Each structure stands twice: as structure tokens, then as C-alpha cells.
Amino acid sequence: MADERNFRLKVITPERVFYDGDVNMVEFNTTEGEIGIYKGHVPMTVIVNPGILTISESDRARNAALHAGFVEILEDKVTVLAEIIEWPEEIDRKRAEEAKARAEERLRSKSPETDVLRAETALKRAIARINLISS
């Protein structure tokens, strides 16, 4: 018997269907702050901010690093259109730490050519990757 509290979550990237299943709740960062979604949520569309996507299934919670995209929230379905999303086993710790160091250095040096927004976003992505594999 299906759990009445569940709703459908679909996470799609340009390369693959990352996740497609029934969940109790999903949590992630938006440009407006962190959001948690249950079945019956008010319909809306939000922009993703880099961070951890937590998928709560009936018997476990799964985490992934979600870096960019849009989310359509309906009462019984959530669709994430992600540019980049990774399971912990897909992340290379050394590469993530190097990316973090590069972003921090760009922000410290702040030359006139530095794209601060891009450096801040790169730093958030690296931190999300490192936090995911460290937890």
C-alpha cells in the first residue's frame, strides 16, 4: 500500500535522470533560503542555490550536492531541473578541495578582473561537495 504522505520527486540533468521516485520530504537551498517540502506544499517555482539536497524516502535519507538549477513545486510532485548534481561517491575530494582553495584565493586577491559572483558561486559549490562527502 502506498504511503499517503509521499509525493513524486524527479531530478533531471541535461545528461540523465538523476532521481525518480516517491519521497516523504525533500530539502535544499534556494536563493531565498533553505526550504523543506512535504506533500501538499503551495505550488511555486524557485531557483536553486548551491548546497545539499536531502531526499527523505520512507526508510532512509539520501544526500546529494545540488549546484544550480530550478525547481517546480506542485502539491503532489516536485521536479528539479539541475545543471549539476552529484551523489557522494561521484565526488573527488582532492578536486573539490583544490577548487575551494582556488575560489578562496580569487576572492582574497580581488583584482579588477575578478568576477566576484562567479568566485563566490564556485566556493559554495566546492563547500557543498566537501560537506557532503565529510558527513
Side-chain angles (χ1 to χ4, degrees), residues 22-65:
D22 292 332
V23 301
N24 299 113
M25 184 176 78
V26 64
E27 296 174 276
F28 56 92
N29 293 327
T30 75
T31 55
E32 302 298 315
E34 191 171 347
I35 187 170
I37 302 165
Y38 290 99
K39 184 175 185 176
H41 196 284
V42 173
M44 63 174 57
T45 304
V46 296
I47 300 170
V48 169
N49 209 27
I52 305 295
L53 171 77
T54 300
I55 301 168
S56 297
E57 299 171 331
S58 59
D59 59 343
R60 66 181 175 160
R62 300 177 71 189
N63 292 318

Side-chain angles (χ1 to χ4, degrees), residues 80-126:
V80 179
L81 300 174
E83 288 181 36
I84 304 168
I85 186 165
E86 304 161 296
W87 293 117
E89 59 272 11
E90 297 172 329
I91 296 171
D92 179 330
R93 176 182 290 278
K94 183 177 183 223
R95 189 169 168 227
E97 289 171 351
E98 290 169 351
K100 180 178 181 270
R102 281 192 308 274
E104 288 172 336
E105 179 55 34
R106 281 195 304 266
L107 289 170
R108 256 193 310 275
S109 66
K110 277 195 188 172
S111 67
E113 312 75 56
T114 301
D115 184 338
V116 174
L117 183 59
R118 185 173 174 207
E120 288 172 343
T121 301
L123 180 59
K124 287 178 186 177
R125 289 178 179 173

